[in-house]
């Protein structure tokens, strides 16, 4: 009696390396959330204005700030994310538990003051940007955006809103694309990125201070802590520190990479044209004109792209820089 030996080898499939790459990409996209959104919100309308002004006024002279700020903002935001992930509470609640009520009140007052100023700047930028393509008075647009954002913050749940926020980050790609479409002195840009350039003038240090302030900003501390709490809501186990660290690192890298590109296009498009001061949203929109220079009416198209990007990022950042969201232990219902 003979025994037939069958070939039981598995059917051929995709190469392991390709499958691993696909799995790795799905894994990465799945864990991106609080870190990615916080990083994108760091390039909010006031941040874009600051980075554009930096490039317009000093050319490539302050490009090194993006590289030097990366480890600082990554470390600070990871610490905030860990607090929310491990304790299951927002930053304000943790401060209340660990310190005196007087300390908490002082920090909340300072945060609220800083955030109100930041919100005012962002809403003003929203109105000015939208006015480039919608011929409505800026004040009316500002009121409209304020009402819309308040309504979304009250009515829409965090998880639904977070899904939209992820897609709004795509608008930031306009700046890297523009940088690669323009003939850039990449050798000079790389030198300016790695070798700090210092000018001993009040204007130089004023702008440096603005860059630091718009990069490491208080509302992001409270935001990411609270988002980590929300990210774990309904889960059987909290997400791992590895996932948190990866999410945060990707978000902060994208944030600083976009800031770097904004400074580059500001320097190339505005500084070389001797436009050294950003006086209006239209001035800032000019940095995107090279992106659409082959189309008729490229100036209007650039303004439209700029307006869409500013509105998208404002809708992302403003709800989370409000005192209510920033000081709450949990930002959604």
């Amino acid at each position: 009696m003979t025994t037939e030996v069958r070939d039981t080898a598995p059917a051929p499939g995709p190469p392991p390396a390709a499958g691993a790459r696909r799995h790795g990409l799905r894994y990465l996209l799945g864990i991106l959330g609080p870190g990615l959104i916080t990083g994108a919100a760091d390039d909010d309308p006031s941040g874009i204005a600051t980075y554009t002004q930096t490039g317009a006024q000093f050319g490539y002279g302050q490009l090194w700030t993006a590289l030097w700020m990366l480890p600082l903002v990554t470390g600070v935001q990871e610490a905030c994310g860990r607090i929310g992930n491990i304790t299951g509470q927002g930053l304000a609640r943790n401060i209340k538990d660990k310190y005196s009520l007087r300390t908490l009140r002082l920090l909340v007052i300072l945060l609220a003051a800083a955030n109100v100023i930041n919100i005012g700047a962002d809403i003003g930028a929203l109105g000015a940007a939208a006015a480039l393509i919608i011929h409505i008075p800026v004040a009316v647009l500002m009121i409209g955006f304020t009402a819309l954002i308040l309504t979304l913050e009250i009515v829409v749940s965090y998880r639904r809103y977070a899904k939209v926020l992820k897609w709004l980050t795509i608008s930031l790609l306009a700046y890297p694309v523009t940088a690669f479409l323009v003939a850039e002195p990449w050798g000079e840009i790389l030198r300016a990125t790695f070798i700090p350039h210092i000018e001993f003038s009040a204007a130089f240090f004023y702008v440096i201070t603005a860059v630091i302030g718009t990069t490491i900003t208080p509302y992001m501390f409270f935001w990411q802590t609270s988002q980590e709490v929300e990210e774990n809501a309904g889960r059987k186990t909290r997400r791992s520190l590895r996932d948190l660290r990866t999410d945060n690192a990707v978000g902060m890298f994208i944030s600083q990479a976009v800031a770097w590109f904004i400074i580059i296009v500001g320097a190339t498009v505005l500084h070389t044209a001797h436009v050294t001061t950003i006086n209006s949203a239209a001035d800032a929109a000019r940095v995107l004109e090279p992106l659409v220079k082959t189309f008729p009416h490229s100036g209007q198209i650039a303004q439209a792209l700029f307006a869409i990007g500013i509105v998208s990022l404002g809708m992302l950042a403003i709800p989370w820089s409000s005192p209510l969201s920033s000081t709450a232990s949990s930002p959604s219902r």
Side-chain angles (χ1 to χ4, degrees):
M1 180 177 179
T2 60
T3 302
E4 182 179 359
V5 178
R6 297 181 181 274
D7 185 4
T8 59
R21 283 195 297 269
R22 286 198 296 270
H23 175 74
L25 181 60
R26 287 199 302 268
Y27 165 76
L28 179 61
L29 293 176
I31 66 172
L32 292 180
L36 174 65
I37 297 172
T38 303
D42 197 19
D43 296 317
D44 61 358
S46 59
I48 290 175
T50 300
Y51 299 134
T52 304
Q53 177 63 45
T54 301
Q57 188 168 355
F58 296 103
Y60 308 119
Q62 294 189 0
L63 272 178
W64 58 273
T65 58
L67 180 64
W68 285 54
M69 292 298 295
L70 178 58
L72 300 179
V73 70
T74 301
V76 170
Q77 292 305 131
E78 182 179 323
C80 295
R82 284 175 176 241
I83 291 172
N85 182 277
I86 294 173
T87 66
Q89 298 182 143
L91 193 56
R93 177 67 65 176
N94 277 283
I95 293 173
K96 179 182 178 182
D97 291 344
K98 301 296 182 181
Y99 301 95
S100 66
L101 185 58
R102 179 180 299 177
T103 300
L104 175 63
R105 287 173 176 169
L106 175 62
L107 291 175
V108 168
I109 291 171
L110 293 174
L111 174 68
N115 282 0
V116 166
I117 295 172
N118 192 70
I119 290 171
D122 283 348
I123 291 178
L126 283 181
L132 295 174
I133 54 176
I134 303 174
H135 300 296
I136 297 176
V138 173
V140 175
L141 290 171
M142 291 171 61
I143 294 172
F145 279 120
T146 302
L148 176 61
I149 292 170
L150 285 173
T151 301
L152 290 174
E153 190 169 5
I154 294 170
V155 174
V156 180
S157 68
Y158 165 81
R159 293 195 179 277
R160 291 180 61 188
Y161 199 63
K163 292 179 180 179
V164 177
L165 297 185
K166 286 186 179 182
W167 291 106
L168 294 183
T169 62
I170 295 176
S171 61
L172 291 170
L173 293 177
Y175 295 95
V177 171
T178 302
F180 285 113
L181 288 178
V182 179
E184 302 282 7
W186 290 109
E188 180 182 352
I189 288 172
L190 290 176
R191 283 194 300 272
T193 301
F194 291 98
I195 302 175
H197 167 77
I198 303 293
E199 295 180 17
F200 292 95
S201 66
F204 188 89
F205 286 105
Y206 177 83
V207 175
I208 285 282
T209 303
V211 169
I212 296 173
T214 198
T215 302
I216 301 180
T217 186
Y219 80 82
M220 289 173 57
F221 309 159
F222 289 83
W223 181 352
Q224 188 155 353
T225 308
S226 295
Q227 279 201 88
E228 289 296 338
V229 176
E230 289 288 351
E231 197 71 16
N232 288 327
R235 293 175 180 261
K236 293 182 179 179
T237 58
R238 66 188 180 206
R239 72 174 188 154
S240 68
L241 290 179
R242 185 185 70 170
D243 290 355
L244 184 155
R245 172 173 285 181
T246 302
D247 175 27
N248 180 74
V250 170
M252 296 309 117
F253 176 82
I254 291 175
S255 169
Q256 290 310 104
V258 169
W260 186 71
F261 278 114
I262 294 173
I263 296 174
I264 288 175
V265 296
T268 303
V269 177
L270 299 180
H271 185 75
T272 56
H274 306 291
V275 178
T276 58
T277 303
I278 305 300
N279 294 314
S280 66
D283 289 340
R286 289 179 58 185
V287 301
L288 296 180
E289 285 190 9
L291 181 62
V292 292
K293 64 181 180 180
T294 58
F295 294 91
H297 310 292
S298 62
Q300 290 89 333
I301 298 174
Q303 289 184 354
L305 288 174
F306 175 81
I308 291 170
I310 290 294
V311 170
S312 298
L313 294 166
M315 296 293 289
L316 187 158
I318 292 173
W320 286 95
S321 57
S322 69
L324 175 62
S325 294
S326 298
T327 57
S329 60
S330 178
S332 71
R333 285 112 336 251

